[in-house]
Amino acid sequence: MAYAPDWSERVRRGYDVASCAYRADDAESGLYAAWIHRLDGVLPRCSRVVDLGCGCGVPVARDLAAAGHAVVGVDLSQTQIERARRLVPAGEFHCDDLAGVDFAEGSFDAAVFLYSIIHLPLDQQPVILQRVARWLRPGGVLALIAGVDAWTGSEDRWLGSDATMWWSQADSSTYRGWLEAAGFFIDEEVVVSEGLSAHALFWAHSVRGRSGGPDE
């Protein structure tokens, strides 16, 4: 499906304008708490974690940093990044476009990609999954929330603001294929219901560089 040529500006402005409406400084961990607990439980102490689409740093970067991990966050919105630097001073935050950001091979023990890949055009989503697999050390963990059903669309006056937000997602079977092609083994796939809609939560780990993996 075609996507808006100004998609990045729509997403950037949407989060710049509606940052606090999207999540308050002192927001509870809520639905994220179990996911953060699971990730913390499988990671070695003082692991390096990249939070892609980190927003204001709450709750993922905040809670993982509190657990003793080194968190690097990336977000398109300058407002979100400024808030993250204030709210999670122990973290390292970069204002950058997920479509172009890059890190050195084997930089991280885990990657968190919650509700943010769906702000990228479909043709860029498998590309960044390949980059994420390269950034992870062998066995590195990925928590990804993506689409259940294919859909591309936008919402005017998002969260009561004067901004338009934009999303684009494939269906869950497509994400499965993209993850496997990128060099991930899918450990679990869960449907996360949210009112009348739902998303797919994938738990996976990198098998690059391991016996039988894509690099062998």
Side-chain angles (χ1 to χ4, degrees):
M1 181 178 291
Y3 59 85
D6 60 343
W7 65 270
S8 62
E9 285 308 309
R10 291 190 185 190
V11 174
R12 185 198 314 273
R13 184 171 185 276
Y15 282 107
D16 278 348
V17 171
S19 175
C20 291
Y22 183 75
R23 185 157 290 118
D25 285 2
D26 59 352
E28 300 279 336
S29 300
L31 186 65
Y32 291 69
W35 307 335
I36 295 167
H37 179 73
R38 173 171 175 168
L39 186 60
D40 177 48
V42 300
L43 290 175
R45 294 302 86 193
C46 303
S47 290
R48 278 177 55 81
V49 182
V50 61
D51 184 3
L52 298 164
C54 64
C56 69
V58 175
V60 175
R62 179 194 65 190
D63 293 1
L64 288 175
H69 302 293
V71 184
V72 177
V74 183
D75 202 276
L76 184 65
S77 164
Q78 184 66 45
T79 299
Q80 295 276 61
I81 288 297
E82 288 172 358
R83 290 181 66 206
R85 288 170 177 160
R86 173 173 57 85
L87 296 171
V88 192
E92 174 188 332
F93 297 98
H94 303 272
C95 186
D96 209 339
D97 188 337
L98 293 182
V101 69
D102 204 4
F103 295 99
E105 183 173 351
S107 297
F108 300 103
D109 299 288
V112 180
F113 213 166
L114 304 181
Y115 299 101
S116 50
I117 196 171
I118 57 178
H119 285 306
L120 293 172
L122 289 178
D123 60 353
Q124 297 184 19
Q125 295 183 25
V127 177
I128 192 170
L129 290 174
Q130 292 166 8
R131 292 205 308 273
V132 172
R134 180 171 55 80
W135 302 339
L136 291 177
R137 299 178 179 118
V141 179
L142 171 67
L144 169 74
I145 285 189
V148 171
D149 299 312
W151 178 78
T152 294
S154 60
E155 181 181 336
D156 295 331
R157 303 198 60 79
W158 184 58
L159 299 178
S161 73
D162 64 354
T164 298
M165 184 50 70
W166 179 90
W167 302 266
S168 189
Q169 63 189 44
D171 60 27
S172 56
S173 64
T174 299
Y175 286 107
R176 266 180 248 126
W178 286 346
L179 285 166
E180 291 167 353
F184 286 101
F185 179 87
I186 299 171
D187 299 295
E188 187 178 10
E189 178 184 345
V190 181
V191 174
V192 180
S193 297
E194 297 143 12
L196 299 177
S197 64
H199 289 85
L201 168 62
F202 293 93
W203 289 96
H205 68 271
S206 173
V207 293
R208 286 187 175 276
R210 292 188 164 193
S211 177
D215 288 349
E216 295 298 311

